[in-house]
Amino acid sequence: MKHSGIRVENLMKQFGEGDNAVSVIKGASFEVEKGELAALIAPSGAGKSTLLMMIGCVLEPSSGKIWLGDTLVYDNNWSKADTRALRREKIGFIFQAHYLIPFLNVLENVSLLPLTNKQSEEQATQISSEFLTYLGLEEKLHAMPSDLSGGQNQRVAIARALATHPEIILADEPTAALDIERAHSVVKLLRDIAKSQKVAIIMVTHDERLLTYCDKILKIVAGKIETIDNRDFEEGQNNPVI
Ligand SMILES: Nc1ncnc2c1ncn2[C@@H]1O[C@H](COP(=O)(O)OP(=O)(O)OP(=O)(O)O)[C@@H](O)[C@H]1O
Ligand SMILES: [Mg+2]
């Protein structure tokens, strides 16, 4: 059975009006199921961040449809006027610069969002320390972001994205600041999270070496999406399947 996480139909985005109008996304259609890690690739300026921000309910499309889980969140209009609510309920974001709050410790950074989602302090702390432990940071719960390495900071950002139990994780070049070894381990981790938490993940990357971990490759070509099934590759790589 299919578990649709993200579905996009004929999505378009143009910036500007009239003679100055520039069409960036020109009818993108694709699907990422829950449990799948998809890579989004294209040259610089092709519209990767634009597409991700539309799926993340941050940037309004010009037209088309977006489903997140079972909810049609965009159908020429947002389904809820308050798109913040859509984001909070469904989506975890991971960015290249991880924007941890410098004066909060690791645990406080991760539990902030569950707390604003009306969980009790006890619940928020528990779930946050569980995810941080899962990511190998159990000894850093009370450390400050400035005392962590780049890779550790990135794992805190991943824990923070997971802590609200999103159906969807959107990651814009999450490994850009890491060396190749850490980049490999972060992407493997994202794949394991997709499988074990049944999350649909889209990750923008420029690094072809990381595509081997992805179930699917979404390539922007002339403003549309070409979907490449990558699971055949994976089998040959002796990757563990969870
Ligand atoms: N707010 C905006 N107004 C006008 N044009 C924009 C705006 N945001 C993005 N663009 C244009 O849309 C195109 C796609 O930008 P986008 O940031 O999505 O590319 P990208 O694929 O993420 O590139 P990179 O790999 O460099 O991050 C670019 O030509 C950019 O100039
Ligand atoms: Mg970008």
Side-chain angles (χ1 to χ4, degrees), residues 13-16 20 22-25 40-53 59 96 172-173 204-206 220:
K13 180 66 189 176
Q14 112 181 9
F15 290 107
N20 297 323
V22 181
S23 221
V24 176
I25 303 295
L40 177 59
I41 61 168
S44 181
K48 301 181 295 297
S49 298
T50 300
L51 186 57
L52 218 58
M53 289 302 113
L59 180 68
Q96 175 183 344
D172 201 346
E173 301 196 52
V204 172
T205 183
H206 275 112
I220 304 178

Side-chain angles (χ1 to χ4, degrees), residues 29-130:
S29 300
F30 63 90
E31 190 169 7
V32 180
E33 288 163 39
K34 287 183 182 165
E36 276 185 343
L37 171 62
L40 177 59
I41 61 168
S44 181
K48 301 181 295 297
S49 298
T50 300
L51 186 57
L52 218 58
M53 289 302 113
M54 291 194 285
I55 298 167
C57 308
V58 176
L59 180 68
E60 180 155 9
S62 302
S63 62
K65 291 181 184 173
I66 303 170
W67 284 262
L68 300 181
D70 297 328
T71 313
L72 179 57
V73 296
Y74 187 84
D75 184 3
N76 291 307
N77 275 299
W78 296 114
S79 65
K80 283 187 185 177
D82 181 6
T83 54
R84 277 174 308 177
L86 293 171
R87 292 204 286 276
R88 250 199 334 256
E89 285 162 18
K90 293 185 176 290
I91 307 166
F93 291 94
I94 306 168
F95 297 104
Q96 175 183 344
H98 13 77
Y99 305 115
L100 297 183
I101 299 171
F103 51 84
L104 297 181
N105 72 26
V106 163
L107 186 58
E108 290 162 343
N109 260 286
V110 176
S111 47
L112 199 61
L113 266 181
L115 274 174
T116 53
N117 273 359
K118 300 197 185 91
Q119 288 193 15
S120 73
E121 195 168 341
E122 204 184 345
Q123 279 175 322
T125 304
Q126 195 196 332
I127 188 78
S128 302
S129 38
E130 271 174 29

Side-chain angles (χ1 to χ4, degrees), residues 103-223:
F103 51 84
L104 297 181
N105 72 26
V106 163
L107 186 58
E108 290 162 343
N109 260 286
V110 176
S111 47
L112 199 61
L113 266 181
L115 274 174
T116 53
N117 273 359
K118 300 197 185 91
Q119 288 193 15
S120 73
E121 195 168 341
E122 204 184 345
Q123 279 175 322
T125 304
Q126 195 196 332
I127 188 78
S128 302
S129 38
E130 271 174 29
F131 277 121
L132 286 162
T133 304
Y134 173 66
L135 294 170
L137 292 164
E138 63 275 25
E139 282 165 14
K140 300 287 182 189
L141 298 185
H142 303 289
M144 301 308 281
S146 57
D147 298 332
L148 302 180
S149 73
Q152 288 167 338
N153 262 291
Q154 195 56 284
R155 278 182 279 153
V156 178
I158 293 173
R160 185 180 52 181
L162 287 172
T164 53
H165 289 297
E167 293 173 65
I168 283 134
I169 293 178
L170 302 174
D172 201 346
E173 301 196 52
T175 62
L178 306 179
D179 62 45
I180 186 65
E181 245 167 70
R182 291 213 172 77
H184 275 274
S185 58
V186 164
V187 178
K188 272 194 244 175
L189 192 68
L190 287 176
R191 184 196 54 186
D192 294 349
I193 287 163
K195 305 266 179 292
S196 63
Q197 315 280 324
K198 292 278 170 284
V199 188
I201 305 183
I202 300 181
M203 170 187 73
V204 172
T205 183
H206 275 112
D207 193 336
E208 292 192 357
R209 292 169 290 186
L210 302 174
L211 299 181
T212 177
Y213 304 109
C214 300
D215 300 300
K216 199 174 254 186
I217 298 168
L218 308 170
K219 194 173 176 184
I220 304 178
V221 180

